[in-house]
Amino acid sequence: MLKLTRKVEYALIALRHMQDKAPELVSSTKEIATQYNIPLEILAKTLQHLAKENIIEPINGPRGGYRLKAQLGNINLVEFFERVEGPLGLSDCFYDSNCLQIDYCNIRTPIQRINANMINMFRSMTVQDVTS
Amino acid sequence: MLKLTRKVEYALIALRHMQDKAPELVSSTKEIATQYNIPLEILAKTLQHLAKENIIEPINGPRGGYRLKAQLGNINLVEFFERVEGPLGLSDCFYDSNCLQIDYCNIRTPIQRINANMINMFRSMTVQDVTS
DNA sequence: ATTATATACGACAATAATTATCGGATATAA
DNA sequence: TTATATCCGATAATTATTGTCGTATATAAT
């Protein structure tokens, strides 16, 4: 409950790894997977996803890899989580009404308040706060 | 990611249901399960758990059920979540070191800061904030 | 006492979400 | 031309969550 996914963690590890280098230098999937002991194929998918989101820039071919593309200080954590994992919320019912309790639920409104608090908290931090 | 479990939701629904009654009145598992469309057996387990935690008081036999026992305003949400679901944390590595990345991880410290923010936020609210 | 209705609880099963793997494609530097 | 990299869909395995079953115990009502 209330956990980050591995995908998000792997993404953050990779972004911090790139951030720690001079901006023009390239990091390959294999390099990152090896250094942090992350399964290669999963990390590959994650980085492809980040590239599609224009957060990193892919460089094809031998000696290729990825470089940072976005300003990490401009991406708050809500935006980042949603770009990596989709909609954010303590309960599904805030963005998907397929819930058996929804018609009678007596905690929907209070949970929504708490959810708003959580969202505000994550929105007050950027990816850069994690990568530096 | 970052979701509450059903168990926590069912517990909160039940607590709010009891809170809405005069304190001496009893609510049975069946009554709550029916009213909110919750699977009976799961709710039963959840309520047994709350009873073991001394949050509600069981009353055996026919016309039995449960009544509130604890002051919901005295239980903050971190305490509540942990009493219902166990230790809280954005990543397992804060209370269980069985993680392949742990030796090399470059985001552990920043994630821990964010985790502290989250914990503080949930600690600033009580169960009563959900049930009234 | 007997019965009906309630909680107590361990073991197990099903489902869903997450995590991981495989196969083959395209791009490009050397 | 070759080696090394990203790209990407399909699928498998694993884990966590959610739900079920069977049986025991407690007690109010008759």
Side-chain angles (χ1 to χ4, degrees):
Chain A
M1 189 179 83
L2 294 172
K3 292 248 182 315
L4 302 177
T5 60
R6 291 277 199 214
K7 192 171 170 190
V8 163
E9 292 178 342
Y10 295 159
L12 289 170
I13 287 173
L15 290 175
R16 175 154 207 184
H17 180 84
M18 294 178 206
Q19 177 103 314
D20 287 346
K21 289 187 175 182
E24 72 278 11
L25 293 182
V26 162
S27 307
S28 75
T29 304
K30 190 197 263 182
E31 165 192 338
I32 299 173
T34 305
Q35 178 156 348
Y36 301 99
N37 206 15
I38 299 170
L40 183 75
E41 292 298 332
I42 297 226
L43 181 64
K45 285 256 165 74
T46 303
L47 296 179
Q48 283 156 31
H49 187 160
L50 291 178
K52 276 204 155 178
E53 288 290 334
N54 283 305
I55 295 171
I56 58 179
E57 171 195 20
I59 289 158
N60 262 328
R63 320 210 37 165
Y66 298 92
R67 278 192 300 225
L68 285 185
K69 186 169 181 189
Q71 288 289 334
L72 300 185
N74 289 342
I75 306 177
N76 71 57
L77 287 184
V78 172
E79 184 187 341
F80 182 72
F81 292 161
E82 297 205 321
R83 281 166 80 175
V84 174
E85 287 288 356
L88 205 60
L90 285 174
S91 297
D92 288 344
C93 62
F94 300 141
Y95 50 82
D96 162 22
S97 54
N98 193 8
C99 170
L100 287 174
Q101 283 75 45
I102 203 162
D103 292 335
Y104 329 98
C105 187
N106 62 357
I107 58 167
R108 193 150 190 250
T109 307
I111 293 285
Q112 208 148 18
R113 280 200 311 267
I114 295 173
N115 189 59
N117 288 349
M118 186 181 75
I119 297 278
N120 284 337
M121 184 207 66
F122 283 124
R123 193 160 37 217
S124 75
M125 292 176 283
T126 71
V127 177
Q128 179 118 42
D129 293 329
V130 183
T131 57
S132 32
Chain B
M1 189 179 83
L2 294 172
K3 293 246 180 317
L4 302 178
T5 60
R6 292 279 199 211
K7 192 171 171 191
V8 163
E9 292 178 341
Y10 295 159
L12 290 170
I13 286 173
L15 290 176
R16 174 153 207 186
H17 180 83
M18 295 178 205
Q19 177 105 313
D20 287 345
K21 289 186 176 182
E24 72 278 10
L25 293 182
V26 162
S27 307
S28 75
T29 305
K30 192 197 264 181
E31 166 192 336
I32 298 173
T34 305
Q35 179 156 348
Y36 301 99
N37 206 15
I38 299 171
L40 183 75
E41 293 297 333
I42 295 225
L43 181 63
K45 286 256 167 74
T46 304
L47 296 179
Q48 284 157 30
H49 187 159
L50 292 179
K52 277 205 154 176
E53 289 289 335
N54 283 304
I55 295 171
I56 58 179
E57 170 194 20
I59 290 157
N60 262 327
R63 320 211 38 164
Y66 298 92
R67 277 192 301 226
L68 284 185
K69 186 169 180 188
Q71 288 288 335
L72 300 185
N74 289 342
I75 306 177
N76 72 56
L77 287 185
V78 172
E79 183 186 344
F80 182 72
F81 291 161
E82 296 205 322
R83 281 166 81 176
V84 173
E85 287 288 357
L88 205 61
L90 285 175
S91 297
D92 287 345
C93 62
F94 300 141
Y95 50 83
D96 164 22
S97 54
N98 194 5
C99 171
L100 288 174
Q101 282 75 46
I102 204 160
D103 291 336
Y104 328 98
C105 188
N106 60 358
I107 58 167
R108 194 150 188 248
T109 307
I111 293 284
Q112 210 149 17
R113 281 200 311 267
I114 296 172
N115 189 58
N117 289 349
M118 185 182 75
I119 297 277
N120 284 337
M121 183 206 66
F122 283 124
R123 194 158 38 216
S124 74
M125 291 176 282
T126 70
V127 177
Q128 178 117 42
D129 293 329
V130 183
T131 58
S132 30

